[in-house]
Amino acid sequence: MQVQTISLRYVRKMELKGRHLLSLKDFTREEIQLILDTSSDLKRQRYRGELGTSLLGRSVGMVFERPSTRTRVSFEVAVNELSGDSLFLSSQELQLSRGEPIADTARVLSRYLHGIVIRATNHEHVVELAEYSDVPVINALTPMYHPCQALADLLTIREKLHELEGLKLVYIGDGNNVCQSLMIGGATMGLEVTVATPPGYEPNPEVTAFARERAEENMAQLELTNDPKAAVEEADVLYTDVFVSMGQDEERKKRLAAFLPDYQINEALVELAAPHSIVMHCLPAHRDEEITDAVIEGPHSVVWDQAENRLHTEKAILALLL
Ligand code: CP
Ligand code: NVA
């Protein structure tokens, strides 16, 4: 039995080699499980002071078209701790900024690098990069998806509440990239996902349809609502993200008017959830907009452990895909 379990894990590991991570749509429940298990193993190893060698002699390029604290630093540290080299490539310093086609950039970079991590202003650019790249491309956030964040979120929920299946995860706020990745990740892993947004800020209908199908295949549930108070009833996990994402600054006034005060996670809303509920935020947070200072600093908040888990899941992604 044990031999069979080990060999299955080995086969799944081999199946992940060389794959791109553009969204969690491309990953099965077993594959996500493997990424989470590998993250936990690497986390334990780091706590014991052991570093890895799985990226020895490998170089990973980090192309960032937008600012980043967690994603950039966690990926760079992950590469270093796995004995690889990372190169930070600001898009402004690449010939991309002067019009070199994405397809040409992808073919050239894949002659030098063993993997490309990219945060981009346009999801289709990442898809095109992956199409022409011979090495794995990892989506470090686009306006559509933030799959690396969702993996760290699932790991955090599993650590704090000891399981994933059947838990009620309520996302309140904007139906954005973070929300869309959580919907797919949650539906794949058997959670009961409820998304509460103001009218007009629902997640993308195609992503919603995909997540619904995933939910059906995995005995999960997906609900969309405009009623945050009803949504949080019995919630095990409350999750929010900024109301104004990168690139949406011009809509700030209109967005704040649509989201406040009803869609803010504050103490009154947390009171309506299960007493053991955890509160999550991918960060950076805008205190007293989507979440109050009292909640993010309060006893239900797990945001710092959640941020730490970016490092452990980034390591697992690199070790498994590269
Ligand atoms: N959560 C997240 O991706 O943070 P950064 O924008 O700092 O990378
Ligand atoms: N939704 C946010 C996430 C930041 C990590 C954004 O895209 O700006």
Side-chain angles (χ1 to χ4, degrees):
M1 186 63 184
Q2 203 188 358
V3 172
Q4 199 186 12
T5 313
I6 291 167
S7 67
L8 250 182
R9 193 170 167 173
Y10 180 77
V11 170
R12 288 209 181 105
K13 271 189 179 174
M14 288 302 113
E15 282 171 2
L16 287 174
K17 289 270 174 264
R19 298 251 300 269
H20 301 301
L21 171 52
L22 305 187
S23 94
L24 293 181
K25 275 166 130 177
D26 308 326
F27 291 79
T28 64
R29 184 173 185 142
E30 291 72 24
E31 288 168 344
I32 293 178
Q33 185 84 43
L34 176 61
I35 296 172
L36 301 184
D37 292 346
T38 306
S39 308
S40 298
D41 292 347
L42 289 165
K43 183 169 181 173
R44 274 192 293 273
Q45 283 172 27
R46 188 177 200 258
Y47 278 35
R48 288 199 299 261
E50 296 164 18
L51 302 181
T53 52
S54 51
L55 294 186
L56 193 64
R58 283 159 198 248
S59 302
V60 183
M62 315 267 171
V63 182
F64 277 76
E65 293 182 355
R66 292 252 193 243
S68 169
T69 298
R70 281 141 289 269
T71 310
R72 176 183 172 179
V73 177
S74 60
F75 264 113
E76 289 202 24
V77 172
V79 173
N80 293 342
E81 291 189 3
L82 294 174
S83 308
D85 280 314
S86 64
L87 291 86
F88 180 74
L89 305 166
S90 152
S91 59
Q92 284 313 306
E93 289 159 25
L94 293 172
Q95 294 287 11
L96 267 176
S97 63
R98 295 181 56 248
E100 183 168 18
I102 292 170
D104 295 4
T105 305
R107 284 175 288 188
V108 172
L109 288 182
S110 24
R111 297 288 176 109
Y112 307 136
L113 299 169
H114 301 89
I116 303 171
V117 173
I118 176 164
R119 170 167 287 193
T121 52
N122 183 325
H123 187 72
E124 296 318 313
H125 292 173
V126 177
V127 173
E128 189 181 351
L129 189 83
E131 194 180 320
Y132 287 92
S133 168
D134 293 328
V135 299
V137 171
I138 297 165
N139 176 0
L141 182 146
T142 65
M144 277 293 274
Y145 296 116
H146 197 1
C148 299
Q149 179 68 52
L151 290 168
D153 299 339
L154 291 168
L155 179 67
T156 310
I157 297 170
R158 194 174 77 169
E159 285 176 353
K160 299 291 175 192
L161 300 174
H162 313 295
E163 62 190 341
L164 290 175
E165 220 167 287
L167 289 183
K168 180 171 179 187
L169 162 66
V170 181
Y171 177 96
I172 300 164
D174 186 22
N176 61 16
N177 44 8
V178 168
C179 171
Q180 295 186 163
S181 283
L182 262 182
M183 283 163 60
I184 298 174
T188 309
M189 302 313 286
L191 279 87
E192 193 185 312
V193 182
T194 302
V195 174
T197 66
Y201 292 92
E202 288 88 357
N204 173 307
E206 282 169 31
V207 176
T208 303
F210 180 89
R212 276 199 207 291
E213 256 176 56
R214 266 289 165 95
E216 269 174 36
E217 289 160 16
N218 291 289
M219 314 258 285
Q221 285 181 42
L222 177 65
E223 298 289 336
L224 263 53
T225 174
N226 301 127
D227 184 347
K229 283 196 181 128
V232 299
E233 233 172 77
E234 308 282 319
D236 300 294
V237 182
L238 298 186
Y239 198 117
T240 192
D241 180 19
V242 289
F243 297 147
V244 185
S245 282
M246 290 181 272
Q248 297 175 331
D249 292 323
E250 284 174 10
E251 297 173 33
R252 186 170 173 77
K253 212 170 152 196
K254 183 179 116 199
R255 284 179 163 266
L256 293 189
F259 287 95
L260 288 172
D262 293 353
Y263 296 85
Q264 180 188 70
I265 299 195
N266 49 36
E267 283 169 310
L269 202 67
V270 176
E271 277 289 306
L272 302 176
H276 63 261
S277 66
I278 57 171
V279 174
M280 303 181 74
H281 191 310
C282 59
L283 304 179
H286 284 205
R287 280 173 168 74
D288 299 326
E289 284 183 17
E290 72 277 3
I291 191 163
T292 58
D293 189 59
V295 171
I296 202 167
E297 300 293 348
H300 295 269
S301 168
V302 298
V303 300
W304 315 118
D305 292 332
Q306 181 185 359
E308 178 190 324
N309 279 340
R310 293 295 305 275
L311 172 62
H312 310 301
T313 42
E314 266 44 318
K315 265 190 189 170
I317 293 164
L318 291 165
L320 290 165
L321 304 188
L322 270 58

